[in-house]
Amino acid sequence: MSARIAILGKFPPTVGQVSTLNFWLAIGLKRLGHDVIVCSDSMSTVKDAVRAHTDESLARPPAELANIEVQYADIEDPTLYLPFANIEFTKFLSKSFAALKSFRPDVLLSHYLEPYALVGHFVAEALRIPHVITHAGTDAVRLCSDEAIAEVYREVAQKARRFVAKSRIAAERFGAALDGPRPAPYFPPSEYFQATDAPTTFRSLLTANLG
């Protein structure tokens, strides 16, 4: 069954394990016949230090070659400046909301709590889309060191159709089942973009949450 699937999270040209997994997951879902859109803040100026390069002619082709629609929150408008205000989150939220309102996904995957699950929560609630969250970072301890912030994360996790913890710490913090084991929390499993009848986690996770 073909589905329209949205992924919120890190993505090339941002480097790292999460970006790699999201990239291969998007490719795998596309190869299986699904329509895929990725919303990322990787081109934001605040992510300069973690990008592989800043040459946009080199930054965009990987997603284009895989026929994946990618929406980058890279708004650079000086009229949006507000004194003593950081609106990076709002810029990412607004770009993602506009893109997904048009795309109308059947399911939304937010990979990582901050800011992706928070943005995904707002979009999913507004558009009435099933929301799946996955988180592996052991930094969940630091993220939840402030009880008021932890309460927000717990609320978002509980409102999601499913929360998939890929580390024991994340499972304990959010009362979710541990999704494992695998060689590493962010290891890109080849079955997502090879055999169509292979047992999967993400593929079944996404397509099983369409109702």
Side-chain angles (χ1 to χ4, degrees), residues 18-71:
V18 180
S19 297
T20 300
L21 179 53
N22 284 339
F23 180 69
W24 284 111
L25 175 62
I27 292 175
L29 291 168
K30 188 70 176 180
R31 289 181 182 177
L32 290 171
H34 302 296
D35 291 327
V36 181
I37 186 173
V38 177
C39 295
S40 180
D41 57 352
S42 297
M43 296 298 289
S44 172
T45 54
V46 299
K47 298 293 178 70
D48 283 347
V50 292
R51 287 208 298 266
H53 45 68
T54 56
D55 185 339
E56 190 159 330
S57 67
L58 296 176
R60 305 225 178 215
E64 296 300 325
L65 291 175
N67 295 316
I68 300 164
E69 181 180 354
V70 181
Q71 290 288 338

Side-chain angles (χ1 to χ4, degrees), residues 12 17 21 40 42 48 60 68 86 89-90 94 99 101 104-105 118 135 137 161 170 181 185 188 197-198 202:
Q17 293 176 321
L21 179 53
S40 180
S42 297
D48 283 347
R60 305 225 178 215
I68 300 164
N86 184 341
F89 180 91
T90 307
S94 63
K101 186 176 181 180
R104 283 289 172 179
L118 300 184
H135 186 83
R161 178 66 59 89
D197 59 347
F202 270 123

Side-chain angles (χ1 to χ4, degrees), residues 61-131:
E64 296 300 325
L65 291 175
N67 295 316
I68 300 164
E69 181 180 354
V70 181
Q71 290 288 338
Y72 288 106
D74 51 357
I75 303 170
E76 301 297 339
D77 185 349
T79 64
L80 293 177
Y81 172 74
L82 297 175
F84 308 109
N86 184 341
I87 61 170
E88 292 299 321
F89 180 91
T90 307
K91 289 194 292 185
F92 180 45
L93 171 59
S94 63
K95 190 68 174 283
S96 300
F97 182 74
L100 298 186
K101 186 176 181 180
S102 175
F103 185 76
R104 283 289 172 179
D106 298 306
V107 63
L108 169 60
L109 169 68
S110 296
H111 195 158
Y112 207 79
L113 282 169
E114 184 71 52
Y116 309 108
L118 300 184
V119 168
H121 172 74
F122 178 91
V123 174
E125 290 284 305
L127 301 181
R128 301 183 182 277
I129 303 168
H131 187 204

Side-chain angles (χ1 to χ4, degrees), residues 122-201:
F122 178 91
V123 174
E125 290 284 305
L127 301 181
R128 301 183 182 277
I129 303 168
H131 187 204
V132 176
I133 300 171
T134 184
H135 186 83
T138 55
D139 56 358
V141 175
R142 294 194 300 274
L143 289 172
C144 296
S145 59
D146 182 285
E147 180 55 33
I149 293 176
E151 181 61 25
V152 172
Y153 292 140
R154 284 194 294 267
E155 180 71 14
V156 169
Q158 290 168 5
K159 288 290 180 65
R161 178 66 59 89
R162 187 173 175 190
F163 183 94
V164 181
K166 295 194 293 177
S167 72
R168 191 166 305 281
I169 292 176
E172 292 171 352
R173 286 279 167 175
F174 300 101
L178 180 62
D179 177 41
R182 62 170 50 100
Y186 298 116
F187 187 79
S190 61
E191 68 264 24
Y192 300 146
F193 47 92
Q194 290 182 359
T196 58
D197 59 347
T200 65
T201 300

